[in-house]
């Protein structure tokens, strides 16, 4: 509705009426002297608009003389209307290009006359409807929103993509008022979307020659931490060069001198050249060459972010081959905090996601802004695609498959939960999850301290607990609720996320090597934790009951632990509680994963 009002303000309707003093009012029209009345010109234009709209809506009275094919769907149009409303269509129809069918209609395919970009069926109907009626219609929700229930839908990728499609159509069809309208909308996106989502906006601005939008997008990308490889791969050379120049200039500024010196010390031309060669080998699908380059230099796959690069730009089979080398950390984060699974989720390629999960990718890993792989997929997926019915003989939509695979993995791991966290509520959610994790790890350390410590060592988790009374080591410090007054909310969130990820890995290690013990602890955390927070609280009778339940729990854990030991023994490896042999067992199994 806001769009309709905004665009309507650019259309002027004038008429005349006499005011009481005899002057003429050009804004209203009345047949009754000084009494205000309806504006006949506005009413007439509104009537004309609704009448012309029926030409598009009434399938029973189809008087169209041409079809425009959009995404394989024919849309009947009236060439006289389009030619009068658009210089582009006027020239197109003059040339009379199009294939004639048996019914005498000319056929035009949007893929033949769109010089760049993509215009979907729904975007084409929005622009076509404006050419017929002069009134912009609201955006269809099933193509301009995502399926993430926590999203406000004001800056998610489907909203951006739909506005980009509308801009391509408006610019190509030479409708200046729509170009102006959608440019303002895209300008509004630039300041609040993720920097990777600025890329399609910058590209459409470049192709449609929108200088103001181009300038703002370039400035946003240049000031961001988007890596140079992504900029070179995804933007035209002219734009990437401008961004490089801006970044060099900012590094030379006096106020950024210290940062520039730090960055310069990290840039090694020879090192960058070797990394570039590995990426080019991946582009060529030549994993054997990648192996050769690794042996000839001191660069590792992780240092080259080879898995991230392959997941973003290469064929899925290349990613599978790189994974099979066993030389890369599948859960490695890049400079922007994304794991390889996050990159695969952005690409929405099911085979990539499955390959990574089978190789041990952690589905519960969060980005610095609190997004998991499944929430990333949700924010990239339109309701139209997610809810589309699969026709017999046709493939299921990849967007839906990606979300289903990731959600099943989340359900398989109870610790993962629903990781859709909005930025505004992330800190509170983190504290709740950390509270659960801290308590769970604390009880694990209480019942089998050596094994729990081993799991924490593997996960690189430091020994901290929320409740000192539950800690296995007296006087432990590092409570995550401690407050640093100089710490910004973003830094705090990053610290909390890092802590939570370490604890999640600790629990996952426990599940992998001590599955029966983990099951007992899961049930305890769900059923008994509130009553056993403090054994010394309550009446004497309540304390006695708590103590009895606590001893029962210890027996349950010991029985479960014996089952875990028995499984190790059946594998041909002897183990004993809290012993070095159990450590070797875990390390041995870890090496095999």
């Amino acid at each position: 509705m806001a769009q309709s009002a905004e665009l309507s303000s650019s259309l002027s309707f004038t008429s005349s009426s006499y005011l009481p003093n005899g002057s003429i009012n050009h804004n209203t029209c009345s047949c009754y002297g000084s009494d205000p009345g309806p504006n006949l010109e506005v009413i007439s234009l509104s009537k004309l608009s609704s009448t012309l709209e029926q030409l598009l809506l009434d399938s029973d009275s189809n008087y169209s003389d041409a079809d425009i094919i959009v995404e394989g769907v024919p849309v009947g149009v009236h060439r006289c209307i389009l030619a009068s409303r658009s210089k582009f269509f006027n020239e197109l129809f003059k040339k009379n290009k199009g294939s004639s069918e048996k019914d005498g209609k000319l056929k035009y395919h949007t893929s033949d006359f769109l010089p760049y970009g993509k215009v979907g069926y729904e975007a084409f109907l929005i622009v076509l409807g404006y050419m017929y009626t002069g009134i912009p219609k609201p955006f269809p929700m099933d193509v301009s929103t995502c399926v993430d229930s926590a999203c406000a839908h004001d800056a998610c990728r489907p909203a951006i993509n739909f506005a980009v499609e509308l801009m391509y159509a408006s610019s190509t069809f030479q409708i200046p008022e729509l170009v102006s309208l959608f440019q303002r909308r895209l300008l509004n996106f630039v300041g609040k979307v993720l920097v990777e989502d600025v890329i399609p906006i910058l590209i459409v601005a470049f192709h449609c020659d929108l200088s103001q939008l181009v300038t703002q997008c370039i400035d946003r990308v240049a000031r961001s931490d988007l890596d140079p490889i992504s900029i070179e791969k995804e933007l035209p050379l002219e734009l990437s060069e401008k961004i490089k120049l801006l970044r060099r200039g900012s590094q030379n500024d006096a106020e950024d001198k210290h940062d520039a010196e730090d960055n310069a010390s990290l840039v090694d031309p020879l090192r960058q050249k070797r990394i570039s060669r590995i990426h080019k080998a991946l582009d060529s699908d030549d994993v054997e060459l990648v192996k050769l380059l690794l042996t000839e230099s001191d660069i590792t796959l992780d240092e080259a972010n080879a898995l991230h690069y392959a997941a973003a730009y290469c064929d899925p089979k290349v990613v599978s081959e790189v994974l099979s080398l066993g030389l890369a950390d599948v859960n490695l984060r890049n400079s922007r905090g994304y794991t390889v699974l996050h990159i695969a989720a952005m690409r929405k390629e099911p085979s990539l996601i499955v390959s990574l999960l089978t190789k041990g990718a952690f589905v519960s890993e969060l980005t610095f802004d609190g997004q998991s792989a499944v929430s990333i997929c949700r924010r990239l997926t339109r309701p139209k695609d997610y809810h589309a019915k699969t026709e017999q003989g046709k493939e299921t939509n990849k967007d839906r498959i990606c979300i289903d695979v990731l959600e099943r993995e989340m359900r398989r791991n109870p610790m993962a939960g629903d990781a859709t966290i909005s930025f505004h509520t992330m800190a509170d959610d983190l504290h709740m999850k950390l509270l659960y994790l801290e308590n769970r790890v604390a009880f694990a350390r209480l019942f089998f301290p050596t094994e729990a410590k081993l799991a924490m060592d593997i996960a690189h988790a430091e020994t901290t607990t929320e409740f000192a009374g539950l800690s296995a080591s007296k006087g432990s410090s590092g409570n995550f609720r401690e407050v640093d007054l100089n710490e910004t909310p973003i830094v705090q969130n990053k610290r909390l996320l890092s802590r939570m990820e370490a604890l999640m890995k600790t629990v996952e290690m426990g599940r992998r090597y001590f599955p029966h013990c983990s099951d007992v602890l899961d049930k305890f955390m769900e059923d008994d934790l509130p009553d056993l927070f403090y054994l010394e609280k309550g009446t004497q009778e309540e304390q006695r009951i708590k103590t009895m339940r606590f001893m029962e729990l210890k027996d349950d854990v010991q029985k479960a632990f014996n089952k875990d030991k028995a499984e190790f023994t059946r594998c041909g490896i002897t183990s004993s509680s809290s012993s070095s042999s159990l450590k070797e067992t875990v390390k041995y199994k870890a090496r095999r994963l």
Side-chain angles (χ1 to χ4, degrees):
M1 294 300 293
Q3 291 174 347
S4 300
E6 185 177 23
L7 189 59
S8 296
S9 65
S10 66
L11 307 176
S12 60
F13 303 111
T14 60
S15 59
S16 302
S17 63
Y18 289 96
L19 297 177
N21 60 4
S23 62
I24 299 176
N25 180 358
H26 294 282
N27 297 320
T28 61
C29 179
S30 173
C31 299
Y32 304 100
S34 61
D35 292 332
N39 188 325
L40 289 181
E41 189 171 356
V42 171
I43 293 176
S44 299
L45 289 173
S46 177
K47 182 73 172 178
L48 176 62
S49 174
S50 61
T51 301
L52 290 175
E53 186 176 23
Q54 290 303 311
L55 293 176
L56 295 174
L57 301 178
D58 192 352
S59 58
D60 294 332
S61 303
N62 185 4
Y63 304 113
S64 61
D65 58 357
D67 282 340
I68 295 180
I69 312 299
V70 189
E71 295 184 325
V73 180
V75 180
V77 299
H78 306 77
R79 286 180 295 166
C80 59
I81 294 178
L82 297 191
S84 65
R85 295 282 284 149
S86 163
K87 292 180 180 179
F88 170 83
F89 282 113
N90 188 30
E91 294 298 322
L92 178 68
F93 297 147
K94 276 183 180 179
K95 296 175 183 177
N96 200 28
K97 288 184 177 179
S99 58
S100 181
E101 299 293 330
K102 293 181 180 180
D103 57 3
K105 285 186 179 181
L106 291 176
K107 304 283 184 182
Y108 300 89
H109 294 262
T110 54
S111 57
D112 294 336
F113 56 71
L114 283 174
Y116 33 66
K118 166 187 173 294
V119 177
Y121 177 75
E122 291 81 3
F124 180 78
L125 289 185
I126 290 285
V127 175
L128 183 66
Y130 174 76
M131 286 192 285
Y132 272 72
T133 67
I135 301 174
K137 298 295 183 181
F139 294 172
M141 296 292 287
D142 63 337
V143 291
S144 62
T145 62
C146 68
V147 295
D148 185 354
S149 59
C151 180
H153 306 309
D154 59 342
C156 55
R157 193 58 176 265
I160 296 168
N161 289 344
F162 194 70
V164 166
E165 289 182 22
L166 290 168
M167 176 56 76
Y168 275 127
S170 302
S171 176
T172 300
F173 303 155
Q174 300 178 34
I175 308 174
E177 61 270 31
L178 287 187
V179 170
S180 177
L181 174 65
F182 296 132
Q183 180 176 213
R184 290 195 296 275
R185 164 159 285 227
L186 291 172
L187 281 168
N188 185 49
F189 281 137
V190 173
K192 59 184 178 182
V193 300
L194 297 173
V195 65
E196 50 264 32
D197 291 333
V198 176
I199 298 299
I201 300 176
L202 177 52
I203 293 174
V204 70
F206 174 73
H207 286 315
C208 297
D209 197 23
L210 307 171
S211 57
Q212 182 185 2
L213 187 55
V214 167
T215 300
Q216 290 209 18
C217 288
I218 287 178
D219 182 66
R220 169 74 196 282
V221 174
R223 289 186 290 104
S224 74
D225 59 353
L226 191 64
D227 60 280
I229 294 173
S230 298
I231 293 172
E232 291 177 2
K233 293 285 290 186
E234 299 178 27
L235 289 175
L237 180 61
E238 180 181 337
L239 295 177
S240 62
E241 289 298 324
K242 286 183 179 180
I243 292 170
K244 286 180 183 178
L245 288 174
L246 275 178
R247 285 184 167 181
R248 289 172 192 158
S250 65
Q251 287 181 347
N252 293 329
D253 290 344
E255 61 183 12
D256 296 329
K257 183 177 179 181
H258 179 68
D259 292 336
E261 290 173 352
D262 287 347
N263 291 335
S265 65
L266 297 174
V267 175
D268 181 349
L270 179 59
R271 180 185 178 83
Q272 294 300 316
K273 186 175 182 180
R274 289 172 175 172
I275 291 175
S276 179
R277 285 176 177 172
I278 292 175
H279 292 168
K280 288 179 180 178
L282 291 170
D283 286 333
S284 302
D285 297 353
D286 195 340
V287 179
E288 289 299 319
L289 178 57
V290 171
K291 292 166 62 177
L292 180 62
L293 292 172
L294 292 175
T295 60
E296 292 180 349
S297 71
D298 59 349
I299 303 296
T300 66
L301 287 177
D302 288 345
E303 290 171 335
N305 279 328
L307 268 180
H308 288 83
Y309 184 90
Y313 304 114
C314 300
D315 190 277
K317 69 176 183 179
V318 175
V319 178
S320 181
E321 291 176 10
V322 174
L323 285 169
S324 66
L325 296 177
L327 301 175
D329 180 3
V330 73
N331 291 299
L332 179 72
R333 289 184 180 274
N334 63 13
S335 60
R336 302 191 63 229
Y338 293 138
T339 67
V340 185
L341 189 61
H342 293 148
I343 301 297
M346 293 176 188
R347 186 170 170 180
K348 296 191 295 183
E349 178 55 55
S351 60
L352 274 180
I353 292 173
V354 172
S355 295
L356 292 169
L357 291 175
T358 55
K359 289 296 183 178
F362 295 140
V363 72
S364 58
E365 294 276 20
L366 302 178
T367 63
F368 289 154
D369 63 343
Q371 295 296 315
S372 67
V374 68
S375 63
I376 288 173
C377 270
R378 286 173 181 153
R379 295 210 172 186
L380 293 173
T381 302
R382 308 180 303 176
K384 175 185 177 180
D385 300 323
Y386 184 79
H387 298 295
K389 293 182 179 179
T390 303
E391 297 182 15
Q392 189 173 3
K394 292 188 178 181
E395 294 183 355
T396 304
N397 184 273
K398 285 186 175 182
D399 304 52
R400 177 63 181 265
I401 294 176
C402 289
I403 293 175
D404 286 349
V405 168
L406 290 168
E407 286 184 339
R408 280 199 299 270
E409 183 67 14
M410 295 281 277
R411 288 192 293 270
R412 188 186 68 81
N413 178 5
M415 277 307 306
D418 184 0
T420 304
I421 304 175
S422 67
F423 181 80
H424 300 291
T425 62
M426 182 171 56
D428 292 338
D429 290 343
L430 284 177
H431 278 95
M432 293 301 294
K433 290 187 177 182
L434 277 169
L435 178 63
Y436 176 90
L437 289 166
E438 294 280 5
N439 287 325
R440 195 186 188 288
V441 172
F443 274 102
R445 293 179 62 236
L446 183 64
F447 292 123
F448 39 101
T450 303
E451 291 73 23
K453 185 179 185 305
L454 178 58
M456 294 182 76
D457 289 341
I458 296 173
H460 305 292
E462 297 176 357
T463 306
T464 62
T465 57
E466 173 64 9
F467 297 102
L470 303 179
S471 176
S473 61
K474 300 290 185 180
S476 64
S477 61
N479 191 313
F480 72 83
R481 288 187 182 274
E482 291 178 358
V483 177
D484 181 355
L485 297 178
N486 295 320
E487 189 176 52
T488 65
I490 293 178
V491 173
Q492 183 189 49
N493 285 336
K494 287 183 178 180
R495 175 174 60 79
L496 296 179
L497 280 170
S498 177
R499 175 64 183 153
M500 185 171 69
E501 288 168 2
L503 290 170
M504 280 184 170
K505 289 178 183 177
T506 300
V507 174
E508 186 162 342
M509 291 300 109
R511 291 185 190 284
R512 185 173 298 180
Y513 302 118
F514 312 104
H516 295 93
C517 292
S518 295
D519 290 342
V520 173
L521 283 178
D522 284 341
K523 186 177 186 306
F524 167 72
M525 295 295 293
E526 181 179 350
D527 298 335
D528 296 314
L529 180 61
D531 293 329
L532 298 183
F533 264 153
Y534 298 105
L535 297 177
E536 70 276 8
K537 293 295 181 69
T539 65
Q540 288 186 352
E541 180 62 20
E542 289 174 344
Q543 292 180 33
R544 186 183 67 80
I545 294 174
K546 287 184 190 179
T547 302
M548 289 178 59
R549 178 66 189 104
F550 186 77
M551 297 308 295
E552 291 174 2
L553 176 65
K554 288 186 67 175
D555 291 340
D556 291 342
V557 171
Q558 187 59 49
K559 292 176 183 177
F561 187 76
N562 290 335
K563 290 182 180 179
D564 289 330
K565 279 201 307 178
E567 289 188 1
F568 287 140
T569 304
R570 282 196 297 272
C571 293
I573 305 171
T574 60
S575 61
S576 61
S577 176
S578 304
S579 68
S580 60
S581 61
L582 182 57
K583 282 190 179 183
E584 293 303 319
T585 300
V586 175
K587 290 180 179 177
Y588 170 77
K589 293 187 73 177
R591 286 195 297 270
R592 295 184 60 190
L593 294 174

